[in-house]
Amino acid sequence: MSFEIVTIPCLSDNYAYLVRVGGRTALIDAPEAEPIAAEVAKRGWSIDEIWITHHHDDHIAGVEALRDGAIVRGAERDAHRLPKLDFALSDGDGFDFAGSSVSVMDVSGHTIGHIAFHVPDAKAAFTADSLMALGCGRVFEGTFDQMWASLSKLAALPGDTLICSGHEYTEANARFALTIEPENADLLARITRIKQARADGKPTVPSLLSEELETNPFLRAGLAEVKTHLNMAEADDAAVFAEIRRRKDSF
Ligand code: ZN
Ligand code: FE
């Protein structure tokens, strides 16, 4: 089975994704219609399904303009504030997409009802504003504990999973990450690659989960060296995550 994953820049710093297999195309999030419609037309594809991660306008504003008969899927607990859903999903649900299974993970924290879509055959997870490249979404509606639990679920996926996240925030995330782990050699090497990608006008996403595990401070709250750096050697992992997230909020 061969998958194509297409990253589409939208608005000022959002991303939508197309996943294509077996002649079927799914769109993950619709920040705005025009660049997505243009990309789909250029490839001679049409959108068969739209998968929504969460209710924020910068992820759903283009849904109605792109729907045109597509099947729309999103979280049941968010159905009241999403475009009309054809299928309402809950944590642990699975569905078939062109012969491949897709599993739905509740990754609440940024919002309550934020979901991620994991496509094991594609080795990809669409995480939007939960786990991001070198970062994670701001905790608006949920609790820090909830966000930590969500990130921990994503961290347990296979290391070769492509993390397809929702924004180009990576350079700013990198500056912050350095304040948590100034001597992390993997982080320093990744930042060099990030700067090069941006200088070339390329997205820094998707990223591999394995590189997030090595460099993303929000996934590393459980490590002794990170706890020690924060003078929180005895604290539990979720408390360390909360401290890192608070520091980022005021960075
Ligand atoms: Zn959001
Ligand atoms: Fe967003």
Side-chain angles (χ1 to χ4, degrees):
M1 224 166 316
S2 100
F3 284 84
E4 281 179 84
I5 294 175
V6 180
T7 304
I8 308 174
C10 294
L11 303 173
S12 58
D13 58 24
N14 274 81
Y15 289 115
Y17 295 90
L18 299 172
V19 55
R20 169 99 170 167
V21 65
R24 308 239 333 144
T25 304
L27 165 69
I28 298 86
D29 283 350
E32 59 175 336
E34 291 74 18
I36 296 168
E39 186 68 38
V40 168
K42 187 180 92 186
R43 292 167 180 271
W45 298 352
S46 57
I47 298 170
D48 298 296
E49 305 206 0
I50 301 174
W51 306 347
I52 299 170
T53 61
H54 69 296
H55 74 92
H56 285 157
D57 205 49
D58 64 315
H59 297 258
I60 63 173
V63 169
E64 290 308 342
L66 295 165
R67 180 189 297 258
D68 192 26
I71 290 170
V72 178
R73 304 181 193 266
E76 177 162 39
R77 60 200 301 201
D78 253 353
H80 62 286
R81 52 185 182 176
L82 293 178
K84 187 181 169 305
L85 301 177
D86 299 297
F87 291 94
L89 307 168
S90 302
D91 185 48
D93 282 355
F95 60 89
D96 175 88
F97 177 64
S100 283
S101 68
V102 181
S103 50
V104 176
M105 302 169 73
D106 182 290
V107 289
S108 288
H110 176 69
T111 63
I112 300 293
H114 192 312
I115 55 176
F117 298 89
H118 179 219
V119 190
D121 289 346
K123 297 180 191 266
F126 298 91
T127 60
D129 296 357
S130 58
L131 177 58
M132 295 174 151
L134 273 184
C136 73
R138 218 178 238 266
V139 178
F140 284 125
E141 295 177 9
T143 63
F144 291 121
D145 280 358
Q146 229 167 8
M147 187 58 133
W148 175 246
S150 295
L151 294 180
S152 299
K153 278 199 269 185
L154 293 167
L157 296 176
D160 61 355
T161 303
L162 276 176
I163 300 299
C164 303
S165 55
H167 288 270
E168 184 58 62
Y169 293 160
T170 318
E171 277 187 301
N173 288 344
R175 286 192 289 278
F176 174 74
L178 278 176
T179 68
I180 304 296
E181 290 194 283
E183 282 156 25
N184 179 336
D186 295 320
L187 175 61
L188 295 169
R190 187 176 179 190
I191 290 173
T192 303
R193 295 196 300 276
I194 287 165
K195 286 187 173 151
Q196 190 59 56
R198 295 311 291 156
D200 296 343
K202 291 186 189 140
T204 60
V205 300
S207 57
L208 274 175
L209 178 59
S210 56
E211 63 179 336
E212 297 304 333
L213 291 168
E214 287 169 346
T215 55
N216 185 325
F218 298 99
L219 293 184
R220 295 172 62 78
L223 296 180
E225 62 264 38
V226 171
K227 291 184 178 183
T228 302
H229 179 78
L230 296 171
N231 288 319
M232 297 180 77
E234 305 301 321
D236 69 28
D237 301 354
V240 177
F241 165 75
E243 171 63 18
I244 296 172
R245 188 57 254 181
R246 273 189 215 102
R247 288 185 182 211
K248 177 67 164 61
D249 288 347
S250 59
F251 181 67

